[in-house]
Amino acid sequence: MLKAHNIKKIKYVLLLLVGLTYYLLGGDLGLSDSSVPSGSAAGSEVYAAFQDKKSDVQVRGYGTVSRVLPDDLKGSRHQKFILDLPSGIGILVAHNIDLAPRIPQLRKGDKVAFFGEYEWNDKGGVVHWTHHDPSARHIDGWLEHDGEKFQ
């Protein structure tokens, strides 16, 4: 019988394999949104965190840009956009452009992979910390678009 910590390890390894496959295929898994069931490996960390109303969770996934929002210029500047994940959840991505390069010419329909910290809200949540931490106190995050990593 599998113990809970072993199941978490297996889920983590599966997620890493999905991410590696995504990377090796140049960011295209050949999946349409309708072909990925809710809770599947792609974005399952975000789906689980959303369902459990958890925050401060390190997550990895990918999605399709459904909306590009104006930059947030108050305090630290952030590039903001909404990603629709294969699990059916939409998340806000808040990418700190004071610490990392912005994704140039981001458009609706673009595919973006991410690694960052998830914060729950009833609209789907926010992913931030998608950049390096210059003080090395937080796990470095990133965004990937068109084969280029932004961190």
Side-chain angles (χ1 to χ4, degrees):
M1 185 167 188
L2 290 174
K3 295 186 179 189
H5 71 278
N6 287 336
I7 292 172
K8 284 184 180 180
K9 287 180 184 177
I10 291 169
K11 286 182 181 179
Y12 182 73
V13 168
L14 287 173
L15 189 60
L16 286 175
L17 288 173
V18 168
L20 178 61
T21 301
Y22 178 83
Y23 177 77
L24 291 174
L25 292 175
D28 183 10
L29 292 175
L31 301 174
S32 68
D33 288 341
S34 62
S35 69
V36 182
S38 294
S40 69
S44 63
E45 292 172 333
V46 174
Y47 183 78
F50 176 74
Q51 290 295 101
D52 296 340
K53 299 181 180 180
K54 290 187 177 179
S55 290
D56 304 320
V57 179
Q58 201 67 30
V59 295
R60 175 184 321 257
Y62 70 93
T64 303
V65 176
S66 63
R67 190 165 167 210
V68 177
L69 302 169
D71 288 351
D72 179 357
L73 303 176
K74 297 175 186 165
S76 297
R77 298 176 308 140
H78 288 79
Q79 181 178 24
K80 294 169 55 178
F81 53 95
I82 307 293
L83 274 184
D84 289 337
L85 306 184
S87 63
I89 294 176
I91 60 167
L92 170 65
V93 176
H95 180 59
N96 187 321
I97 53 177
D98 285 333
L99 295 175
R102 71 181 301 106
I103 298 176
Q105 301 172 358
L106 186 66
R107 293 186 177 92
K108 181 178 179 176
D110 287 358
K111 304 288 187 199
V112 176
F114 60 87
F115 182 64
E117 186 175 282
Y118 176 80
E119 301 292 335
W120 183 89
N121 69 38
D122 61 353
K123 295 180 181 178
V126 179
V127 171
H128 65 120
W129 279 100
T130 55
H131 54 82
H132 73 285
D133 179 7
S135 52
R137 289 181 279 154
H138 193 280
I139 297 172
D140 289 344
W142 48 261
L143 296 175
E144 188 173 324
H145 176 259
D146 284 341
E148 187 175 349
K149 197 170 267 190
F150 300 86
Q151 62 186 131

